[in-house]
Amino acid sequence: MSNHTEIRWHGRGGQGAKTAALLLADVAFKTGKYVQGFPEYGPERMGAPITAYNRISDEVIRVHSNIYDPEFVVVVDESLLETVDVTAGLKKDGAILVNTARPKEELIPHLKGYEGKLYTIDAHKVSMEAMGKYFPNTPLLAAIVKVANIMDEETFLREMQASFKHKFASKPEVIDGNMKALEMALNEVVNN
C-alpha cells in the first residue's frame, strides 16, 4: 500500500456505497491505519446519485474535505457512467473499478478520455451467487481492496469476518453469504 490512498465511490441511494466506504474505513483502522470514510449526499432518496469517500494512510490525516483528485474510483452503478463524470480528477496512475458485466469496449466511450487502468467486476453475479440477493457493495469492497492493494487478502477477510460476526451475530447465514461474496470478488475482479 502506498502511504496515502484516496478513493471516491459513486453509487445510488440504497446500493450500499456509503456502507462500503464506512466498512473499508473500519477494517483499515483495525489494521493500524489512519482513516476517513464519509458520504456526500444530494437529495437523500433511494436511487439518487451519492458519493462516498475514503482516505487511508500510515500517517495522521489532516485534510477534512471531499476528495477531488482520487487515486481510485469505484462505480457501484454503471448507469452513472452516462450521467456523472466519474473520472473527474482521477489520477492517471490510479484506476477505476466498475460494477458491470459489459466488455471494456462498451465502457471506454463513457470514461471521458481517461487513460488509466480499468477494472471490472460483475457484482450482480457475485452477490446473487453468494447471497441470493443483489448487494453490490460487498463484492465491490473486496475488489477495491485488491485493486488498490490496501491490505493483504488474508487480513482483509479475517477483519471482515470479525466485523460481520459483530454486526450479524443473530444471523449467521448472512455472515456466510457475505464472506463468500468477498472471497469470490477477490478472484473475479478483472483488469481490462
Side-chain angles (χ1 to χ4, degrees):
M1 179 185 142
S2 64
N3 188 39
H4 186 85
T5 302
E6 293 185 330
I7 302 167
R8 187 174 65 217
W9 298 75
H10 291 279
R12 294 189 181 277
Q15 292 179 323
K18 175 185 126 179
T19 300
L22 296 176
L23 276 170
L24 180 56
D26 186 49
V27 169
F29 178 76
K30 289 178 182 175
T31 66
K33 303 293 182 191
Y34 293 93
V35 300
Q36 291 178 353
F38 55 98
E40 173 188 33
Y41 296 103
E44 293 187 44
R45 59 182 165 77
M46 291 291 279
I50 70 127
T51 308
Y53 304 93
N54 283 111
R55 284 191 179 92
I56 302 168
S57 180
D58 291 333
E59 299 171 1
V60 174
I61 301 169
R62 302 201 185 281
V63 176
H64 296 281
S65 67
N66 290 348
I67 296 172
Y68 301 102
D69 299 308
E71 285 93 7
F72 301 96
V73 166
V74 181
V75 181
V76 180
D77 187 318
E78 70 180 308
S79 72
L80 291 171
L81 294 174
E82 298 170 17
T83 58
V84 176
D85 183 3
V86 299
T87 61
L90 180 57
K91 295 180 179 174
K92 289 191 184 342
D93 60 347
I96 186 168
L97 169 64
V98 181
N99 171 19
T100 188
R102 293 165 48 191
K104 173 184 179 179
E105 296 72 34
E106 290 182 26
L107 302 177
I108 289 174
H110 301 289
L111 299 181
K112 312 266 192 243
Y114 177 69
E115 298 172 357
K117 293 179 186 170
L118 170 62
Y119 292 84
T120 61
I121 185 166
D122 187 347
H124 184 271
K125 180 182 82 102
V126 170
S127 65
M128 291 302 292
E129 196 172 311
M131 299 180 282
K133 294 182 180 178
Y134 183 44
F135 295 112
N137 60 339
T138 301
L140 286 163
L141 175 59
I144 194 59
V145 165
K146 183 170 187 167
V147 166
N149 194 27
I150 292 171
M151 66 186 74
D152 70 79
E153 293 177 16
E154 185 178 305
T155 300
F156 170 68
L157 291 172
R158 183 183 66 242
E159 293 300 335
M160 285 304 300
Q161 185 163 30
S163 180
F164 287 150
K165 281 183 178 178
H166 175 74
K167 186 174 182 179
F168 301 116
S170 63
K171 301 177 186 176
E173 70 281 359
V174 173
I175 298 168
D176 294 343
N178 275 281
M179 291 305 299
K180 182 177 180 185
L182 293 173
E183 291 166 8
M184 286 177 65
L186 289 170
N187 294 318
E188 293 198 20
V189 64
V190 177
N191 180 2
N192 288 295

PDB file of all heavy atoms in Angstrom, residues 62-75:
ATOM      1  N   ARG A  62      -4.799  15.050   8.039  1.00  0.00           N
ATOM      2  CA  ARG A  62      -5.163  16.390   8.493  1.00  0.00           C
ATOM      3  C   ARG A  62      -6.150  17.092   7.566  1.00  0.00           C
ATOM      4  O   ARG A  62      -6.664  18.144   7.891  1.00  0.00           O
ATOM      5  CB  ARG A  62      -3.903  17.231   8.658  1.00  0.00           C
ATOM      6  CG  ARG A  62      -2.931  16.594   9.652  1.00  0.00           C
ATOM      7  CD  ARG A  62      -1.961  17.593  10.213  1.00  0.00           C
ATOM      8  NE  ARG A  62      -0.975  16.961  11.061  1.00  0.00           N
ATOM      9  CZ  ARG A  62      -1.156  16.581  12.320  1.00  0.00           C
ATOM     10  NH1 ARG A  62      -2.319  16.769  12.890  1.00  0.00           N
ATOM     11  NH2 ARG A  62      -0.195  16.018  13.008  1.00  0.00           N
ATOM     12  N   VAL A  63      -6.416  16.503   6.417  1.00  0.00           N
ATOM     13  CA  VAL A  63      -7.363  17.079   5.459  1.00  0.00           C
ATOM     14  C   VAL A  63      -8.764  16.584   5.806  1.00  0.00           C
ATOM     15  O   VAL A  63      -8.960  15.398   6.061  1.00  0.00           O
ATOM     16  CB  VAL A  63      -6.995  16.647   4.015  1.00  0.00           C
ATOM     17  CG1 VAL A  63      -8.009  17.154   3.020  1.00  0.00           C
ATOM     18  CG2 VAL A  63      -5.602  17.109   3.673  1.00  0.00           C
ATOM     19  N   HIS A  64      -9.728  17.490   5.798  1.00  0.00           N
ATOM     20  CA  HIS A  64     -11.119  17.119   6.095  1.00  0.00           C
ATOM     21  C   HIS A  64     -12.045  17.719   5.047  1.00  0.00           C
ATOM     22  O   HIS A  64     -12.909  18.536   5.357  1.00  0.00           O
ATOM     23  CB  HIS A  64     -11.507  17.586   7.503  1.00  0.00           C
ATOM     24  CG  HIS A  64     -10.711  16.923   8.567  1.00  0.00           C
ATOM     25  ND1 HIS A  64     -10.965  15.648   9.004  1.00  0.00           N
ATOM     26  CD2 HIS A  64      -9.630  17.341   9.257  1.00  0.00           C
ATOM     27  CE1 HIS A  64     -10.086  15.316   9.931  1.00  0.00           C
ATOM     28  NE2 HIS A  64      -9.261  16.326  10.101  1.00  0.00           N
ATOM     29  N   SER A  65     -11.851  17.311   3.811  1.00  0.00           N
ATOM     30  CA  SER A  65     -12.692  17.802   2.713  1.00  0.00           C
ATOM     31  C   SER A  65     -13.065  16.617   1.839  1.00  0.00           C
ATOM     32  O   SER A  65     -12.587  15.504   2.044  1.00  0.00           O
ATOM     33  CB  SER A  65     -11.919  18.832   1.881  1.00  0.00           C
ATOM     34  OG  SER A  65     -10.842  18.197   1.212  1.00  0.00           O
ATOM     35  N   ASN A  66     -13.907  16.894   0.859  1.00  0.00           N
ATOM     36  CA  ASN A  66     -14.185  15.863  -0.129  1.00  0.00           C
ATOM     37  C   ASN A  66     -12.883  15.533  -0.858  1.00  0.00           C
ATOM     38  O   ASN A  66     -11.900  16.257  -0.741  1.00  0.00           O
ATOM     39  CB  ASN A  66     -15.226  16.359  -1.123  1.00  0.00           C
ATOM     40  CG  ASN A  66     -16.594  16.494  -0.495  1.00  0.00           C
ATOM     41  OD1 ASN A  66     -16.837  16.021   0.614  1.00  0.00           O
ATOM     42  ND2 ASN A  66     -17.491  17.150  -1.196  1.00  0.00           N
ATOM     43  N   ILE A  67     -12.903  14.474  -1.616  1.00  0.00           N
ATOM     44  CA  ILE A  67     -11.718  14.062  -2.368  1.00  0.00           C
ATOM     45  C   ILE A  67     -11.928  14.458  -3.820  1.00  0.00           C
ATOM     46  O   ILE A  67     -12.860  13.987  -4.476  1.00  0.00           O
ATOM     47  CB  ILE A  67     -11.485  12.546  -2.218  1.00  0.00           C
ATOM     48  CG1 ILE A  67     -11.172  12.233  -0.751  1.00  0.00           C
ATOM     49  CG2 ILE A  67     -10.378  12.076  -3.144  1.00  0.00           C
ATOM     50  CD1 ILE A  67     -11.117  10.756  -0.425  1.00  0.00           C
ATOM     51  N   TYR A  68     -11.076  15.334  -4.308  1.00  0.00           N
ATOM     52  CA  TYR A  68     -11.222  15.862  -5.659  1.00  0.00           C
ATOM     53  C   TYR A  68     -10.283  15.201  -6.662  1.00  0.00           C
ATOM     54  O   TYR A  68     -10.539  15.237  -7.856  1.00  0.00           O
ATOM     55  CB  TYR A  68     -11.010  17.376  -5.642  1.00  0.00           C
ATOM     56  CG  TYR A  68     -11.999  18.060  -4.725  1.00  0.00           C
ATOM     57  CD1 TYR A  68     -11.626  18.498  -3.460  1.00  0.00           C
ATOM     58  CD2 TYR A  68     -13.329  18.221  -5.111  1.00  0.00           C
ATOM     59  CE1 TYR A  68     -12.541  19.101  -2.610  1.00  0.00           C
ATOM     60  CE2 TYR A  68     -14.259  18.816  -4.265  1.00  0.00           C
ATOM     61  CZ  TYR A  68     -13.856  19.257  -3.020  1.00  0.00           C
ATOM     62  OH  TYR A  68     -14.769  19.829  -2.174  1.00  0.00           O
ATOM     63  N   ASP A  69      -9.180  14.637  -6.201  1.00  0.00           N
ATOM     64  CA  ASP A  69      -8.196  14.000  -7.073  1.00  0.00           C
ATOM     65  C   ASP A  69      -7.846  12.610  -6.544  1.00  0.00           C
ATOM     66  O   ASP A  69      -6.726  12.365  -6.088  1.00  0.00           O
ATOM     67  CB  ASP A  69      -6.932  14.869  -7.169  1.00  0.00           C
ATOM     68  CG  ASP A  69      -7.229  16.237  -7.748  1.00  0.00           C
ATOM     69  OD1 ASP A  69      -7.849  16.304  -8.819  1.00  0.00           O
ATOM     70  OD2 ASP A  69      -6.830  17.238  -7.122  1.00  0.00           O
ATOM     71  N   PRO A  70      -8.799  11.676  -6.603  1.00  0.00           N
ATOM     72  CA  PRO A  70      -8.557  10.348  -6.037  1.00  0.00           C
ATOM     73  C   PRO A  70      -7.601   9.512  -6.875  1.00  0.00           C
ATOM     74  O   PRO A  70      -7.446   9.735  -8.077  1.00  0.00           O
ATOM     75  CB  PRO A  70      -9.947   9.717  -6.046  1.00  0.00           C
ATOM     76  CG  PRO A  70     -10.621  10.346  -7.229  1.00  0.00           C
ATOM     77  CD  PRO A  70     -10.112  11.770  -7.247  1.00  0.00           C
ATOM     78  N   GLU A  71      -6.972   8.541  -6.205  1.00  0.00           N
ATOM     79  CA  GLU A  71      -6.194   7.537  -6.944  1.00  0.00           C
ATOM     80  C   GLU A  71      -7.125   6.481  -7.528  1.00  0.00           C
ATOM     81  O   GLU A  71      -6.832   5.884  -8.552  1.00  0.00           O
ATOM     82  CB  GLU A  71      -5.194   6.820  -6.028  1.00  0.00           C
ATOM     83  CG  GLU A  71      -3.987   7.622  -5.653  1.00  0.00           C
ATOM     84  CD  GLU A  71      -4.180   8.375  -4.340  1.00  0.00           C
ATOM     85  OE1 GLU A  71      -5.194   8.189  -3.646  1.00  0.00           O
ATOM     86  OE2 GLU A  71      -3.315   9.180  -4.020  1.00  0.00           O
ATOM     87  N   PHE A  72      -8.240   6.255  -6.841  1.00  0.00           N
ATOM     88  CA  PHE A  72      -9.158   5.189  -7.234  1.00  0.00           C
ATOM     89  C   PHE A  72     -10.597   5.683  -7.198  1.00  0.00           C
ATOM     90  O   PHE A  72     -10.973   6.443  -6.318  1.00  0.00           O
ATOM     91  CB  PHE A  72      -9.005   3.974  -6.301  1.00  0.00           C
ATOM     92  CG  PHE A  72      -7.624   3.419  -6.298  1.00  0.00           C
ATOM     93  CD1 PHE A  72      -6.711   3.791  -5.325  1.00  0.00           C
ATOM     94  CD2 PHE A  72      -7.213   2.542  -7.290  1.00  0.00           C
ATOM     95  CE1 PHE A  72      -5.413   3.304  -5.326  1.00  0.00           C
ATOM     96  CE2 PHE A  72      -5.915   2.046  -7.311  1.00  0.00           C
ATOM     97  CZ  PHE A  72      -5.017   2.425  -6.329  1.00  0.00           C
ATOM     98  N   VAL A  73     -11.392   5.182  -8.154  1.00  0.00           N
ATOM     99  CA  VAL A  73     -12.821   5.464  -8.200  1.00  0.00           C
ATOM    100  C   VAL A  73     -13.541   4.130  -8.315  1.00  0.00           C
ATOM    101  O   VAL A  73     -13.141   3.263  -9.102  1.00  0.00           O
ATOM    102  CB  VAL A  73     -13.190   6.373  -9.391  1.00  0.00           C
ATOM    103  CG1 VAL A  73     -14.691   6.392  -9.629  1.00  0.00           C
ATOM    104  CG2 VAL A  73     -12.676   7.782  -9.162  1.00  0.00           C
ATOM    105  N   VAL A  74     -14.598   3.973  -7.524  1.00  0.00           N
ATOM    106  CA  VAL A  74     -15.448   2.789  -7.591  1.00  0.00           C
ATOM    107  C   VAL A  74     -16.814   3.228  -8.097  1.00  0.00           C
ATOM    108  O   VAL A  74     -17.421   4.138  -7.533  1.00  0.00           O
ATOM    109  CB  VAL A  74     -15.615   2.120  -6.210  1.00  0.00           C
ATOM    110  CG1 VAL A  74     -16.495   0.880  -6.315  1.00  0.00           C
ATOM    111  CG2 VAL A  74     -14.262   1.771  -5.605  1.00  0.00           C
ATOM    112  N   VAL A  75     -17.291   2.591  -9.163  1.00  0.00           N
ATOM    113  CA  VAL A  75     -18.606   2.904  -9.721  1.00  0.00           C
ATOM    114  C   VAL A  75     -19.528   1.733  -9.398  1.00  0.00           C
ATOM    115  O   VAL A  75     -19.412   0.659  -9.981  1.00  0.00           O
ATOM    116  CB  VAL A  75     -18.536   3.154 -11.244  1.00  0.00           C
ATOM    117  CG1 VAL A  75     -19.920   3.501 -11.785  1.00  0.00           C
ATOM    118  CG2 VAL A  75     -17.535   4.263 -11.550  1.00  0.00           C
TER     119      VAL A  75
END
